[in-house]
Amino acid sequence: MTQHFVSTLFVIRSYFTWLPASVVSVLMLVVVGVLAFYCGNLVTTQLLRIPGSRKAALIRRIVSSLRRPTRLMVALLAMLSALPAATGFTAAQEDDLQLFFLFLLILTFGFSAIMVFRIMTEVYLNRLAAREETDDIMIRSHQTQIRVLRRLTEILVGIVTVASALMLFPSVKQYGLSLFASAGAASLIVGLSARGLLTNLIAGVQIALTQPIRMEDLIIINGDWCWVEEINATYVVLRVWDWRRHIVPISYFLENQFENWTHNSAAIIGVVFLWVDYQAPMDKIREILNEIVRGCPLWDGRVFDVQVADCDAHVMSIRIIASARTALQSWDLRCDIREKIIARIRDECPEALPRSRFSMMPPAAEAQEPWERMAPPISRPPPGSYMGPGMGPGSSSMSSD
């Protein structure tokens, strides 16, 4: 088929012998490339019109994303096939054009492979996200593995594609061989320079396999509640509750200690502490709390208890525990319990509210100072009497008839 195609080009070329050979060769390659480009466009358009089931939808999506790379590859293949008929070029020029077309073809093929792999993984992730389960460890594990390994695969395919394309040129090939041959000091310098990158790449593989963190895990880092929003090949994006973002190297999660509240399950037990007076009726408070918690839709119905956890000279400390499906629901559940129990205690048993007490007592005789015990008593006039000027304790009171 290729020979028939080249023979046809020679026949067409014979009609343009009145033009310079180099001009005819360039025009022939351009025309062949343009025709092949539009033929590829026609083929992809017809494929997109094919109706079908769910699998056909995936094929149509892949074809739609690869329309431009497919056209370019078809055009490059057509120009490579037509190159023997371009007799207007010298042997060196023909070799250079062939290397250039192969270079572009390899890069386009590698880019297409990355696009197909990305589309297939995105379709799988979308199917996982469409499931009804809100707390499925398997779903989050698959999401983490696919996202991390996909980025590592894209980096690896990109490096191999560029290296393969560059190795076509003799000068680059000789440089690469000499670099591998003198792998002593050069490899040491490159390894030290890329130590951080290689550490994070290897840590990314370990994260994907061991999974100390997963997508949408709730972790505590630097005192902040954070959700794992994105796991890249070298870093992790953490979303804080106030919409801030922490950008953390992925190796951090293998070298440092952190809390993961959703490692095995998103369910968690929340704790509420309440301080009440010693006169608080505990039986009634337990009944009120039982009514509040069981009537709250955020409680998952698994764990609930009320206990006197501690006390001091002034108040008692009551610990209330209640479980929820997620950590965020646990936070809302605890806030709801606090608001309702404070209002009920204030309205129904105000004696349970904490208060401060003190008493004033006269000092005992033994506790008085010696000079206080030896001092004579001070005589005071009887109630209702009047002491005028010049009248002391020894003067007699004057009464009027």
Side-chain angles (χ1 to χ4, degrees):
M1 184 177 178
T2 305
Q3 186 66 29
H4 181 69
F5 176 68
V6 174
S7 301
T8 305
L9 290 178
F10 273 113
V11 173
I12 297 174
R13 177 185 172 82
S14 63
Y15 294 101
F16 299 92
T17 55
W18 50 275
L19 288 174
S22 59
V23 175
V24 175
S25 299
V26 172
L27 289 176
M28 184 180 62
L29 291 178
V30 171
V31 171
V32 169
V34 171
L35 290 176
F37 184 84
Y38 281 103
C39 287
N41 184 23
L42 179 62
V43 172
T44 54
T45 303
Q46 294 298 324
L47 288 175
L48 291 174
R49 293 179 180 177
I50 298 176
S53 59
R54 197 172 185 178
K55 295 181 179 179
L58 175 60
I59 295 174
R60 287 197 301 271
R61 182 176 176 183
I62 293 175
V63 173
S64 178
S65 301
L66 297 180
R67 292 182 71 175
R68 293 182 179 177
T70 302
R71 298 174 196 170
L72 183 58
M73 282 193 293
V74 171
L76 290 172
L77 288 173
M79 287 188 288
L80 274 173
S81 301
L83 198 57
T87 58
F89 300 121
T90 62
Q93 291 174 345
E94 186 176 348
D95 291 340
D96 293 339
L97 284 174
Q98 186 176 5
L99 290 177
F100 179 71
F101 291 152
L102 288 174
F103 175 78
L104 294 179
L105 187 62
I106 292 174
L107 292 182
T108 307
F109 182 79
F111 175 76
S112 302
I114 293 175
M115 290 295 296
V116 171
F117 184 72
R118 182 178 298 178
I119 291 171
M120 296 179 66
T121 54
E122 284 294 335
V123 170
Y124 182 72
L125 290 175
N126 291 336
R127 290 181 183 178
L128 289 178
R131 293 188 178 181
E132 297 180 355
E133 293 87 351
T134 57
D135 179 29
D136 195 338
I137 300 298
M138 184 189 68
I139 292 177
R140 294 192 289 117
S141 299
H142 285 185
Q143 288 178 342
T144 303
Q145 290 177 343
I146 290 173
R147 291 181 185 276
V148 175
L149 295 178
R150 181 180 66 182
R151 286 173 174 82
L152 293 175
T153 303
E154 290 176 356
I155 293 174
L156 181 62
V157 172
I159 293 174
V160 172
T161 301
V162 175
S164 301
L166 291 176
M167 291 294 286
L168 292 173
F169 300 97
S171 59
V172 178
K173 184 176 181 180
Q174 294 298 327
Y175 176 75
L177 293 176
S178 62
L179 180 62
F180 283 115
S182 59
S187 60
L188 180 61
I189 295 174
V190 173
L192 292 176
S193 302
R195 184 177 60 88
L197 176 62
L198 295 176
T199 300
N200 287 312
L201 288 175
I202 296 173
V205 176
Q206 291 178 298
I207 291 291
L209 296 178
T210 60
Q211 295 188 355
I213 58 172
R214 290 182 290 264
M215 296 296 299
E216 295 302 325
D217 268 355
L218 176 60
I219 65 175
I220 308 298
I221 184 171
N222 295 331
D224 287 334
W225 285 24
C226 304
W227 284 267
V228 180
E229 184 177 52
E230 185 178 353
I231 301 178
N232 292 298
T234 57
Y235 65 92
V236 179
V237 180
L238 305 176
R239 183 182 71 253
V240 191
W241 62 272
D242 57 359
W243 297 352
R244 289 180 292 126
R245 299 296 191 273
H246 287 313
I247 310 298
V248 184
I250 199 169
S251 59
Y252 175 88
F253 298 97
L254 299 177
E255 300 173 356
N256 298 276
Q257 182 179 359
F258 63 94
E259 296 183 23
N260 190 336
W261 286 23
T262 55
H263 186 261
N264 294 324
S265 174
I268 194 169
I269 297 177
V271 182
V272 176
F273 285 96
L274 189 66
W275 288 268
V276 297
D277 192 76
Y278 277 98
Q279 295 184 358
M282 285 302 304
D283 293 336
K284 186 174 182 179
I285 291 177
R286 282 193 176 93
E287 293 178 1
I288 295 174
L289 285 169
N290 187 42
E291 179 182 348
I292 291 173
V293 173
R294 294 186 182 278
C296 184
L298 298 175
W299 183 53
D300 63 358
R302 297 172 61 185
V303 178
F304 167 67
D305 198 6
V306 181
Q307 295 175 325
V308 178
D310 199 1
C311 60
D312 57 17
H314 304 285
V315 293
M316 294 187 302
S317 175
I318 300 177
R319 190 185 71 161
I320 307 159
I321 58 174
S323 57
R325 296 175 183 86
T326 63
L328 194 59
Q329 291 183 359
S330 176
W331 172 267
D332 295 335
L333 174 63
R334 286 182 287 167
C335 294
D336 196 18
I337 291 173
R338 290 191 193 97
E339 293 176 3
K340 292 181 178 179
I341 189 60
I342 290 174
R344 295 285 296 274
I345 288 177
R346 184 184 62 238
D347 297 337
E348 300 180 19
C349 45
E351 68 275 9
L353 297 175
R355 63 194 67 187
S356 298
R357 298 181 176 89
F358 67 93
S359 60
M360 299 178 63
M361 300 179 62
E366 291 79 4
Q368 293 179 354
E369 296 293 336
W371 62 272
E372 291 179 341
R373 294 197 298 267
M374 296 175 61
I378 301 175
S379 60
R380 294 182 174 86
S385 61
Y386 173 74
M387 294 181 65
M391 300 184 64
S395 304
S396 61
S397 60
M398 301 291 294
S399 62
S400 59
D401 295 340

